[in-house]
Amino acid sequence: MTSSPSRTSAPARSGKRDLTSGPIAGTLLAFALPTLGSNVLQSLNGSINAIWVGRFLGEDALAATSNANIIMFLLFGAVFGFGMAATILVGQSFGRRDADGARRAFGSAIGLVLVASIVVGALGWIFAPEILRMLATPPAAFDLALAYLRVIFVGLPGQMLLVLMFMGLRGTGDSLTPLWFMGLSVVLDAALNPVLILGLGPAPRMGIAGSAAATLLSGVVAVIALAAYIHHRDLPLRLKGAERRYILPEAKLTRVIVAKGLPIGAQMLVISVAGLAMVGLVNRLGVQTTAGYGVTLQLWAYVQMPALAIGAAVSAMAAQNIGAGRWDRVGRITRAGLLFNLGLTGAAVAIMLLLDRPLLGIFVGGESPAVPIAQHINRLATWGFVMFGATMVLFGVVRANGAVWGPLVILFVSMFPIRLGLAVGLQPWLGQDALWWSFPIGSAANLIGAALYYRYGPWRGSGAALPSRGECEQRANSVAEPTGTLRPAT
């Protein structure tokens, strides 16, 4: 008979909270707010960089960063799924009070993500010119985009490890530590941008590559500082002594992380490819429209922050409660998440619609011809983020119990046959507006699919639940194929 794994409650540490007990709404909000703060800081970082680039280097450079950033999101998705899989493994392990199992999952994810991000970064550096040509990047922005993108590729491993560490900490119930170290990264990046762009003091004048170099350096410093903090404070996911070997991925955990991480990564890739296709369509409308769309994306980064924070909090809570067998709380977590999304995302949408011109003018100046274009895009499409947020909540819950293929299929259909199909197919009647209307229509289709899958799909079945380490070992020693597993949310 296989012995059961040791299950020890990790001692309370900075920011860690038990997500399996207490009032659901209050616990969810207390967990989500630091995550929202981290997301706002991350978007603020991108916005500050855009301001430096737009004001110091002009609209061509801003268009270049818009093209480069959507490519980075594509490459980020190629390795992000592994981190999502590990997050749910960590959350379910902590729900079962299996701290060692959480560390094993976290260590395996570090090894996988580090290797994958190095490979993806190297390939990205090599093929960056071909990627930009495929996007029909405007000639005026091509060289700038290439210089910016190649430096960003170098920093990909550090950025991916930082995000993975944040995700792992949230899986343990700690959303405060990621907030502090995201703040450190943002402060460093914002301070280094003008120094490296303009060559202030002893620093070299790097132009647009300086903005990317600032991001690279701030990410490396934040990763090293966070790793030292986790070790010094003895946080639940610290790897000490013999535990450091967990970074060499175990075969069983690797199969679980890859099996669930690849579909999660595929969802990110679907979003990214759809975004790249949209950028290609927008680029054909000229530099001004590309700049206007890029500025709108900066605002959208903020509008979606409450939805992403609530989705992440719902996923972490659902994973821990599923791991603890508290299914009675999962439905209530979903309802609370939907209500919080309606209030917080709805408020963000209202602010962006009421104050769009002054907010858009921050990036390129109020007199820029890109501002009216961005205003028009904003008014037609931004309201759809309320539906996007509801979808994040529903997908977050079902992924927490291992359901990854249903959300992938739903997302693919809403992005390609519907969103991009309408963007292209309606242009003879609506002109450029077909592109902007395709966003809320695609979001509506995504929400309908997510709601139907949540209500009628098989995601609640026991086959989707993550087995304990002991159960995994027992199944591996039998003739049966292991079937249990996990899953996360964005």
Side-chain angles (χ1 to χ4, degrees):
M1 182 176 179
T2 304
S3 61
S4 61
S6 62
R7 290 178 183 159
T8 58
S9 297
R13 294 288 186 267
S14 172
K16 179 185 174 294
R17 63 175 63 247
D18 181 5
L19 305 180
T20 63
S21 61
I24 287 175
T27 301
L28 177 64
L29 187 60
F31 185 81
L33 287 179
T35 304
L36 175 59
S38 297
N39 291 342
V40 169
L41 285 175
Q42 188 175 33
S43 292
L44 182 63
N45 187 37
S47 296
I48 292 173
N49 290 354
I51 292 170
W52 291 130
V53 170
R55 293 300 180 93
F56 291 155
L57 302 175
E59 293 178 4
D60 287 349
L62 186 61
T65 61
S66 298
N67 279 261
N69 287 334
I70 195 68
I71 294 169
M72 287 311 301
F73 187 76
L74 170 65
L75 297 172
F76 180 82
V79 292
F80 184 69
F82 296 153
M84 294 292 288
T87 299
I88 297 305
L89 279 167
V90 169
Q92 291 192 359
S93 294
F94 265 79
R96 295 192 308 270
R97 303 299 189 262
D98 181 8
D100 186 67
R103 293 182 189 120
R104 288 176 179 272
F106 184 64
S108 292
I110 287 177
L112 286 171
V113 167
L114 182 60
V115 172
S117 59
I118 290 173
V119 171
V120 171
L123 292 175
W125 173 282
I126 294 169
F127 295 107
E130 288 74 15
I131 295 171
L132 291 172
R133 291 189 189 99
M134 288 174 58
L135 283 177
T137 302
F142 187 91
D143 290 340
L144 294 170
L146 181 60
Y148 181 87
L149 186 59
R150 278 187 157 162
V151 178
I152 287 290
F153 280 131
V154 176
L156 183 63
Q159 292 294 324
M160 281 304 308
L161 284 179
L162 186 63
V163 170
L164 174 62
M165 293 164 76
F166 287 168
M167 293 165 66
L169 288 168
R170 291 181 185 125
T172 70
D174 181 359
S175 58
L176 282 174
T177 300
L179 174 62
W180 308 137
F181 284 88
M182 177 59 74
L184 171 64
S185 176
V186 169
V187 169
L188 288 174
D189 199 354
L192 288 172
N193 252 272
V195 172
L196 296 178
I197 289 174
L198 300 175
L200 302 179
R205 184 182 182 90
M206 300 177 66
I208 194 170
S211 180
T215 300
L216 186 160
L217 292 173
S218 64
V220 170
V221 171
V223 164
I224 294 172
L226 179 55
Y229 179 83
I230 290 173
H231 185 272
H232 175 70
R233 295 296 302 272
D234 195 28
L235 297 187
L237 292 182
R238 90 289 182 274
L239 301 178
K240 289 185 176 180
E243 292 174 339
R244 293 192 179 98
R245 72 179 187 275
Y246 295 168
I247 295 177
L248 299 175
E250 297 180 17
K252 299 183 188 69
L253 283 171
T254 298
R255 285 196 295 269
V256 172
I257 292 173
V258 171
K260 297 301 179 181
L262 287 179
I264 297 289
Q267 293 172 38
M268 298 290 291
L269 291 176
V270 166
I271 296 173
S272 301
V273 172
L276 288 172
M278 185 63 69
V279 167
L281 294 174
V282 173
N283 281 341
R284 290 169 171 81
L285 302 177
V287 171
Q288 294 296 341
T289 301
T290 300
Y293 181 60
V295 171
T296 305
L297 290 179
Q298 291 292 330
L299 285 190
W300 286 354
Y302 289 98
V303 174
Q304 69 182 350
M305 286 303 101
L308 294 176
I310 294 166
V314 164
S315 183
M317 284 192 71
Q320 284 200 17
N321 281 273
I322 290 170
R326 296 297 308 273
W327 279 95
D328 57 302
R329 291 168 58 88
V330 174
R332 288 185 287 156
I333 290 169
T334 306
R335 289 191 291 274
L338 290 172
L339 288 174
F340 280 133
N341 167 71
L342 182 61
L344 294 177
T345 305
V349 168
I351 292 171
M352 293 304 178
L353 290 175
L354 290 172
L355 302 176
D356 57 350
R357 187 172 187 87
L359 292 173
L360 292 165
I362 292 173
F363 299 98
V364 291
E367 303 307 315
S368 169
V371 170
I373 297 172
Q375 278 186 287
H376 184 66
I377 298 170
N378 184 48
R379 291 169 182 173
L380 290 184
T382 301
W383 61 275
F385 279 96
V386 176
M387 295 182 288
F388 164 82
T391 303
M392 289 300 97
V393 171
L394 296 174
F395 278 174
V397 174
V398 301
R399 288 175 186 150
N401 197 38
V404 292
W405 290 104
L408 174 60
V409 172
I410 294 167
L411 186 63
F412 181 86
V413 171
S414 67
M415 286 289 179
F416 287 96
I418 297 179
R419 175 177 291 179
L420 289 175
L422 291 174
V424 175
L426 293 181
Q427 283 196 54
W429 294 275
L430 298 179
Q432 295 182 16
D433 284 355
L435 276 65
W436 323 134
W437 275 112
S438 71
F439 283 94
I441 295 173
S443 295
N446 207 16
L447 176 58
I448 292 170
L452 291 174
Y453 187 78
Y454 177 85
R455 178 65 180 84
Y456 300 107
W459 65 274
R460 294 177 182 84
S462 60
L466 177 66
S468 69
R469 183 183 166 209
E471 292 167 338
C472 283
E473 291 172 349
Q474 188 175 33
R475 292 177 184 180
N477 292 327
S478 69
V479 295
E481 182 70 17
T483 56
T485 23
L486 59 358
R487 229 12 352 227
T490 303

